[in-house]
Amino acid sequence: MSQLRGAWAGESTVFADDEERRVLFATLDSFRQYRKVAHLNVTHRRRQGFYALPSAEWRLLSAPPFNFLSTLDLVDDAIDANADIAAQILEIGLESFGLEKDPCDGSPDWRHFATPADLDKARSTVRQLYRDWSAEGASERRASYTPVLSDIAHHFAHRTDRGNIRILVPGAGLGRLVFELCNQGYDVEGNEVSYHQLLASSWILNQTERARHYRLFPFATDFSNVLSRAHQLMMVEIPDVHPATALAKPLVLSKICPGNRMNMTAGEFTELYSDERYKDTFDAVATVFFLDTAPNIIRYIQTVQNCLKPGGILVNTGPLLYHHCSTSLSKDKNDRRNGSEHVGQVNLGHVELSVEEVLMLVRTMGFEVEDRGILGEGSGYIQNPESLLQSLYYTSHWVARKVA
């Protein structure tokens, strides 16, 4: 089975830093508690509320055609299926960092570190597998990834040596865009700051046994805006394609398997790629739903400018949600790896620019904007297509070239 080149897992530096170790342990513990917490918060409390109804009313709703208690039983089964995935992710995390499932005397005890925020990240990470690794999530991927893939193919159409075209994907998440680019023959490096995402992407890319092997119920715990229980309990199978099999096949006119051109790094984007050793390294940087995770977007553009080769392109698509606006930048470090707060930027201030201002900033910082627009087809993000509430993004999409 192919493995990601440039293995990040088990790095000794994690245990050398107390805070880094705590963040890792909280991540592992959140996957450990996934099953217990989901059953408690979703079905146990609803049963309590249900039986608090007048007996005539709960008896009415427990009988056909409502069968509400049976619905809760089915939701419990769905939670268990999702929790089995969380357990797989936990297992690879423990193995990667040399930790014991049941710590004994003398071994690090990684349990009981997770905060409510960590538990929520574990839940959302498992749910995100719907978007990135199910056939049913393909429409969201087409809206987000296909424009980027098309732009890169267009801009490098004159090159016959795709294996020598180096592409960086910051905020790589669960690794689907990295996989797609690598499968097209490029030399791809993904970067991710979140241990939740890193562990889950490592599992899906390296440890899954075959396509459509795991059952996932992405919307089972949602009880609001439900049209029917069948929609709530929709089951998808992941992964829709087996990454290891796809990446092990040599491409046409190449003896090198795509998996040998894939790399993943762990760390905060600006801290890592603003370093001199990455100067003028990549032919392209692809940012998808990423720029708005920056409290200070200037640092992101500076970092891209540093690591792109002269003439290289920055391809972007995504909204400007500005994640840091919904959280306090003064909160403690417990939430620093939630994917929207980035280590090293907390004390750099924050600003929210419009799309036009972002493009002006890009031009000011040494880029020429070659293409821009708003994608006309709205895109959901882990959106139940049958929900009564539909949240859609009309994403900003543009290509900028670093002036030589």
Side-chain angles (χ1 to χ4, degrees):
M1 186 173 293
S2 66
Q3 296 289 320
L4 288 179
R5 176 163 49 85
W8 54 268
E11 295 179 359
S12 58
T13 55
V14 171
F15 296 104
D17 181 90
D18 289 343
E19 176 60 18
E20 194 76 12
R21 183 174 62 251
R22 190 206 62 77
V23 173
L24 170 63
F25 286 2
T27 301
L28 295 170
D29 187 39
S30 67
F31 286 117
R32 179 185 72 91
Q33 294 193 52
Y34 182 101
R35 191 184 309 269
K36 177 185 71 175
V37 171
H39 283 306
L40 173 64
N41 290 338
V42 177
T43 53
H44 174 69
R45 290 179 177 171
R46 280 184 170 81
R47 286 189 179 94
Q48 287 182 317
F50 185 76
Y51 283 120
L53 294 171
S55 60
E57 295 177 3
W58 70 253
R59 291 181 188 280
L60 169 67
L61 295 177
S62 64
F66 304 102
N67 301 310
F68 187 75
L69 291 175
S70 296
T71 294
L72 294 182
D73 291 339
L74 292 173
V75 171
D76 274 327
D77 292 340
I79 288 172
D80 283 330
N82 293 351
D84 288 342
I85 293 173
Q88 294 266 338
I89 297 171
L90 171 61
E91 182 177 346
I92 189 177
L94 294 175
E95 180 182 343
S96 297
F97 290 94
L99 297 168
E100 297 181 10
K101 183 177 181 179
D102 297 307
C104 55
D105 292 341
S107 59
D109 192 348
W110 50 271
R111 301 167 300 179
H112 314 297
F113 278 83
T115 67
D118 295 313
L119 297 170
D120 189 60
K121 294 170 207 172
R123 178 197 61 78
S124 63
T125 298
V126 171
R127 183 182 173 112
Q128 189 180 333
L129 290 164
Y130 161 81
R131 171 182 170 85
D132 279 337
W133 291 102
S134 77
E136 291 78 1
S139 61
E140 290 191 12
R141 294 196 299 274
R142 280 194 299 270
S144 299
Y145 300 152
T146 299
V148 173
L149 295 168
S150 299
D151 284 335
I152 290 175
H154 172 74
H155 281 268
F156 295 108
H158 63 288
R159 297 274 298 268
T160 59
D161 59 337
R162 280 193 174 185
N164 293 322
I165 299 172
R166 297 198 63 190
I167 301 175
L168 175 64
V169 181
L174 298 186
R176 185 61 186 244
L177 181 57
V178 172
F179 166 80
E180 296 292 350
L181 286 165
C182 187
N183 211 32
Q184 292 186 6
Y186 303 104
D187 188 334
V188 189
E189 182 163 303
N191 167 250
E192 179 56 56
V193 70
S194 165
Y195 278 129
H196 286 87
Q197 301 280 303
L198 284 163
L199 294 177
S201 64
S202 182
W203 171 72
I204 200 80
L205 289 167
N206 297 318
Q207 301 299 324
T208 50
E209 298 177 11
R210 61 179 182 273
R212 308 179 71 88
H213 183 53
Y214 301 92
R215 299 186 308 149
L216 174 70
F217 296 82
F219 311 115
T221 59
D222 295 342
F223 279 80
S224 297
N225 294 302
V226 174
L227 181 61
S228 76
R229 297 302 177 194
H231 296 152
Q232 178 184 2
L233 293 165
M234 178 183 72
M235 185 270 290
V236 302
E237 295 174 326
I238 61 166
D240 60 314
V241 58
H242 186 223
T245 299
L247 296 177
K249 296 178 180 178
L251 297 172
V252 177
L253 302 178
S254 174
K255 296 181 180 180
I256 300 177
C257 299
N260 295 327
R261 296 196 182 103
M262 179 185 288
N263 185 31
M264 187 75 81
T265 63
E268 199 276 320
F269 172 60
T270 62
E271 288 191 345
L272 187 60
Y273 290 96
S274 61
D275 191 273
E276 184 67 21
R277 72 181 185 274
Y278 282 106
K279 186 172 180 60
D280 300 339
T281 296
F282 297 98
D283 298 280
V285 174
T287 54
V288 176
F289 280 67
F290 177 71
L291 291 184
D292 59 352
T293 67
N296 184 352
I297 197 170
I298 294 176
R299 288 294 307 278
Y300 272 15
I301 304 303
Q302 286 175 334
T303 304
V304 172
Q305 210 275 346
N306 177 70
C307 66
L308 260 184
K309 295 177 181 178
I313 59 171
L314 167 59
V315 184
N316 175 75
T317 186
L320 290 178
L321 181 60
Y322 290 117
H323 297 237
H324 64 275
C325 291
S326 61
T327 58
S328 171
L329 291 177
S330 63
K331 65 168 63 176
D332 65 17
K333 295 181 180 179
N334 290 347
D335 296 329
R336 70 186 188 131
R337 286 190 177 271
N338 68 1
S340 61
E341 290 184 28
H342 292 270
V343 183
Q345 294 202 57
V346 173
N347 296 321
L348 296 179
H350 58 95
V351 63
E352 300 84 42
L353 300 182
S354 68
V355 170
E356 291 183 350
E357 289 167 337
V358 169
L359 291 171
M360 285 189 287
L361 178 66
V362 168
R363 292 188 182 97
T364 300
M365 299 184 69
F367 291 84
E368 179 182 344
V369 177
E370 297 188 345
D371 191 19
R372 59 172 291 186
I374 302 296
L375 296 181
E377 182 178 349
S379 170
Y381 196 95
I382 321 178
Q383 176 72 59
N384 184 345
E386 304 298 337
S387 172
L388 297 179
L389 175 63
Q390 297 291 322
S391 298
L392 300 178
Y393 292 101
Y394 292 88
T395 55
S396 173
H397 175 64
W398 45 268
V399 179
R401 186 178 299 275
K402 178 179 173 180
V403 177

